[in-house]
Amino acid sequence: MKKILFAAAILISANLFAAGKSTNEAGILLKFKQIKGDSVSHISTVDEETYINGYLNSKTQFINRTTTTVKETHEDDCATLYTHYMTTQNSLVNGASETLSWGEEDFVTIKRKSNGELSDSDNDSLPTVRSVPCFPQEPVKIGDTWQAEGSEVHDCKELFGMKDAINVPFTASYKYEKDEEINGIKLNVISVYYEFSQKSDGKEYYSTYYGTEGWAKQTIYWDSSKGDLDHYTEDFVIAMYDVAGNQYVFKGSSHGEVTEYKSVNDDTNVEKLQEVIEKNNLDNVSVTRGEKGLTISLENIQFEADSNILLPSEQEKLKKIGSILKDFSNDLLITGHCAERGTVSARQKLSEERAQTVAQFLITNGIRDEYHIFTQGKGSTQPVASNDTEEGRARNRRVEITIMD
């Protein structure tokens, strides 16, 4: 079910304090800031168990990465948001190759009022939780409660063969619980709880879907000094039924964090990075702009023959590149490539393993933690030179490090 929470709903900065009201006695106005060009990144982890007719079927960990940008603001108190989603269900593995694979990607454009209400999504499956949080129009104090409408969206193409996603409305109950200091930062703690239930309206006879029900309990931690979400936690249960009476239960917990990010994908940063590369005498290393961000390409990267073990010389090169990457806070995508040797499946596997090796080296050396670095392998599908010569094959044996936008 892989709930993707708060992806377009609370990623943009919020002006939590009304003008002239900075104490809890005056109350706090919970209101989203709608400024064109504002962007944030969100990483959430969902640990989920699936039960079929009461029996445990699987345990899965999903990692959801989103980036949201305010594209336009409007006079009717709405803003147009654009969000890029990436979801991977690769569970973290133990050992030296502990990395996250780059997974499925999707996009959505949606409108949001300053109180958090969402509308006009151009993707019927995203975001999966809508209009949460949704704030009152007046300031609130510790202990205050309110209710607001929202909905859960469930994509049941695989489970029930349905063409359209299921949109299940609910009424969420909110409470401003307290203020709490974490790591020296004062955070506003808000609880959210909702239940939902829906049966088929008879329009889905081509599917086996009968109904769904469930609940979710969330705790939101706001950083009022920045006007941003700091992090959140959630527990949830979703039960779905088919017309034969079979029950599918998705039970789990999630947590996520939001960070501001700035686009690095410009010619100025390309020139800056290239100057540093030349200064450090890094051979066979180049920088280019691309759809996902700035890419540092390490051609002819040296591994032990037919393996993913880096040679010592390449480790030194990566340490120098790591010092460059520390100047950027954006997530990293590591992509492995191979020359056209061996079988297609062997090349794919080797390219993935080499990307994981580079990623793990950067994690071990403190460049990024494991939740902000992703890997993928492309086998020999994207050559930059001919595979007919050794020089060309050497260029095609490369690893690319993309500083993500």
Side-chain angles (χ1 to χ4, degrees):
M1 190 56 59
K2 65 172 186 296
K3 293 188 68 174
I4 302 176
L5 305 172
F6 301 92
I10 67 176
L11 287 181
I12 312 304
S13 302
N15 183 10
L16 297 182
F17 288 101
K21 296 182 179 181
S22 59
T23 69
N24 193 256
E25 287 186 4
I28 299 174
L29 182 63
L30 304 176
K31 183 179 180 181
F32 289 101
K33 182 172 66 174
Q34 314 267 38
I35 296 180
K36 184 177 180 178
D38 273 6
S39 297
V40 288
S41 178
H42 175 231
I43 293 288
S44 68
T45 303
V46 182
D47 294 299
E48 183 179 273
E49 296 179 343
T50 302
Y51 296 81
I52 299 179
N53 294 329
Y55 292 94
L56 179 64
N57 180 259
S58 64
K59 293 183 178 182
T60 309
Q61 183 181 72
F62 298 97
I63 306 297
N64 304 307
R65 178 190 187 271
T66 66
T67 55
T68 296
T69 301
V70 179
K71 286 297 185 181
E72 296 290 341
T73 57
H74 312 285
E75 293 181 357
D76 60 354
D77 195 36
C78 279
T80 298
L81 312 179
Y82 176 77
T83 301
H84 168 257
Y85 291 80
M86 188 285 296
T87 299
T88 179
Q89 62 182 54
N90 299 58
S91 296
L92 295 178
V93 296
N94 296 320
S97 61
E98 184 176 320
T99 62
L100 295 173
S101 298
W102 190 256
E104 299 177 0
E105 296 181 81
D106 211 338
F107 308 86
V108 64
T109 299
I110 197 167
K111 286 186 177 180
R112 186 196 62 204
K113 292 184 178 180
S114 62
N115 72 336
E117 181 182 343
L118 298 176
S119 63
D120 298 336
S121 172
D122 66 355
N123 187 322
D124 72 337
S125 299
L126 293 172
T128 60
V129 179
R130 301 188 180 183
S131 299
V132 175
C134 194
F135 302 125
Q137 299 293 338
E138 62 278 350
V140 294
K141 303 175 183 178
I142 291 176
D144 282 354
T145 61
W146 66 94
Q147 291 186 323
E149 303 304 308
S151 65
E152 287 226 0
V153 178
H154 300 153
D155 185 347
C156 297
K157 294 183 181 70
E158 293 184 10
L159 188 58
F160 297 117
M162 300 176 67
K163 184 176 74 171
D164 300 320
I166 303 167
N167 195 310
V168 187
F170 58 76
T171 301
S173 298
Y174 296 82
K175 184 178 181 180
Y176 180 9
E177 298 282 356
K178 60 181 178 178
D179 291 334
E180 184 175 339
E181 186 171 307
I182 300 177
N183 297 325
I185 301 173
K186 181 181 177 181
L187 301 176
N188 312 116
V189 183
I190 301 169
S191 64
V192 189
Y193 179 79
Y194 59 85
E195 298 177 356
F196 53 89
S197 179
Q198 183 188 66
K199 291 183 179 180
S200 174
D201 58 7
K203 297 179 181 179
E204 302 290 355
Y205 287 128
Y206 60 85
S207 77
T208 60
Y209 171 70
Y210 175 73
T212 186
E213 61 185 7
W215 58 267
K217 182 179 181 180
Q218 303 159 10
T219 303
I220 301 169
Y221 296 82
W222 289 93
D223 183 345
S224 58
S225 63
K226 293 182 178 179
D228 279 337
L229 171 75
D230 186 83
H231 63 283
Y232 75 87
T233 62
E234 184 196 39
D235 295 311
F236 65 89
V237 173
I238 302 168
M240 309 192 80
Y241 306 87
D242 64 21
V243 293
N246 295 304
Q247 182 192 62
Y248 308 87
V249 175
F250 306 91
K251 181 187 301 184
S253 62
S254 67
H255 65 272
E257 63 180 42
V258 169
T259 57
E260 293 183 64
Y261 83 97
K262 294 182 179 180
S263 174
V264 298
N265 198 5
D266 56 45
D267 292 335
T268 299
N269 276 317
V270 171
E271 294 175 3
K272 186 184 301 183
L273 285 172
Q274 197 62 54
E275 288 177 3
V276 176
I277 288 169
E278 293 173 359
K279 183 179 179 180
N280 283 276
N281 298 314
L282 298 176
D283 296 329
N284 302 311
V285 179
S286 61
V287 184
T288 57
R289 295 180 60 184
E291 181 181 341
K292 287 185 169 66
L294 288 183
T295 296
I296 302 173
S297 181
L298 289 73
E299 295 181 0
N300 196 24
I301 187 167
Q302 300 295 307
F303 295 85
E304 292 185 9
D306 298 319
S307 80
N308 63 331
I309 300 175
L310 279 167
L311 294 180
S313 60
E314 301 305 287
Q315 293 183 24
E316 290 303 314
K317 181 185 293 185
L318 278 176
K319 285 181 181 178
K320 293 180 180 179
I321 291 175
S323 65
I324 298 172
L325 296 173
K326 284 185 175 180
D327 292 336
F328 301 90
S329 60
N330 303 47
D331 294 343
L332 301 178
L333 173 61
I334 316 299
T335 306
H337 300 268
C338 289
E340 203 170 69
R341 290 289 181 90
T343 66
V344 172
S345 60
R347 294 195 296 266
Q348 179 63 32
K349 184 174 183 291
L350 186 57
S351 67
E352 293 172 359
E353 291 175 343
R354 289 179 170 178
Q356 291 166 3
T357 294
V358 172
Q360 186 58 45
F361 184 89
L362 296 175
I363 292 170
T364 301
N365 284 271
I367 308 305
R368 293 291 189 280
D369 63 40
E370 64 269 27
Y371 292 103
H372 295 278
I373 190 166
F374 301 87
T375 64
Q376 63 180 358
K378 293 295 185 178
S380 60
T381 62
Q382 296 181 358
V384 293
S386 171
N387 279 293
D388 295 332
T389 66
E390 181 53 41
E391 180 182 1
R393 289 191 291 272
R395 291 190 61 198
N396 291 333
R397 288 191 293 268
R398 69 192 190 282
V399 172
E400 296 172 338
I401 302 173
T402 300
I403 304 170
M404 300 287 293
D405 261 2

